[in-house]
Amino acid sequence: MKPIAKILAVGLLGVSALAAHAQVNQVRVWAAACANCHGTDGRAQPGMDALAGKDKTEIEQKLLDFKNGRRPATIMHQIAKGYSDEQIAAIAAYFAAQKK
């Protein structure tokens, strides 16, 4: 491999690593909106639903049900409508990955 190609390859790897890190940070920002009720990183206080370590599919389906009005709520339907289906999937994956 020519030196310039090596430099470009390393540069592309660096850019993709930064993009992946930025995506993780963005998901944390989206998930932070849940902290008031569900606790930091999904570890809720007694009496509230904890999200940390729950099944991703379950979290995602509940959020989609809130968003589409299939599940009654006082505020969750309003919050869920603010996210795209892809953002909801990312948020669900984030909470599922957290330790209980």
Side-chain angles (χ1 to χ4, degrees), residues 39-88:
T40 303
D41 293 328
R43 291 183 210 83
Q45 295 297 317
M48 296 303 292
D49 286 340
L51 301 175
K54 285 214 171 172
D55 181 65
K56 176 196 177 291
T57 305
E58 179 185 345
I59 297 170
E60 185 175 0
Q61 188 58 56
K62 284 182 179 179
L63 284 169
L64 290 171
D65 287 346
F66 284 128
K67 180 179 178 177
N68 296 315
R70 292 186 297 257
R71 189 178 177 105
T74 55
I75 194 167
M76 279 304 304
H77 63 288
Q78 295 171 356
I79 293 170
K81 285 181 184 178
Y83 296 106
S84 69
D85 291 356
E86 293 78 18
Q87 289 170 323
I88 286 174

Side-chain angles (χ1 to χ4, degrees), residues 16-28:
S16 58
L18 286 173
H21 184 68
Q23 177 64 22
V24 169
N25 285 337
Q26 181 60 59
V27 173
R28 285 182 181 159

